[in-house]
Amino acid sequence: MGLANTASKVSKLTDLAEKLYKRVESMREQIHEMRDTVSETNERVADLDAELAEQRALLEAIAAENGVDTEAVLADLDDADLDDADA
């Protein structure tokens, strides 16, 4: 009876170990996919930042050609945002 009981416990432990191993492997795959997603997102954000900087430079150049004070326009927008927040 002692060996049968021990064999049963070893079998249960083996089953548990297999389940845990499968969970760990699944988590490892999820983490790998998440790292890929984060990396892709970082690349997209960097591209958007570069594009935004280019657009800002173009807008500032156009504004300067037309005599528009971009600093004053931005200050007016900030003031309007503050007024909206107070309302």
Side-chain angles (χ1 to χ4, degrees):
M1 282 278 185
L3 285 178
N5 192 19
T6 302
S8 173
K9 288 181 181 180
V10 168
S11 177
K12 286 180 185 179
L13 285 174
T14 302
D15 291 343
L16 180 61
E18 288 176 5
K19 288 178 184 177
L20 288 174
Y21 180 78
K22 288 178 183 177
R23 283 186 186 173
V24 168
E25 285 301 309
S26 174
M27 290 177 72
R28 187 179 308 201
E29 289 175 18
Q30 290 175 358
I31 289 170
H32 181 71
E33 290 172 4
M34 190 182 312
R35 283 182 181 162
D36 289 345
T37 301
V38 168
S39 179
E40 290 171 7
T41 302
N42 285 338
E43 290 174 14
R44 288 181 188 163
V45 168
D47 291 344
L48 288 172
D49 281 344
E51 186 176 333
L52 181 60
E54 290 173 2
Q55 290 177 1
R56 182 179 186 106
L58 288 171
L59 285 173
E60 287 177 352
I62 292 169
E65 282 181 10
N66 292 302
V68 176
D69 182 6
T70 56
E71 301 277 327
V73 171
L74 292 174
D76 288 344
L77 288 175
D78 288 341
D79 291 342
D81 288 343
L82 290 175
D83 291 342
D84 289 344
D86 290 339

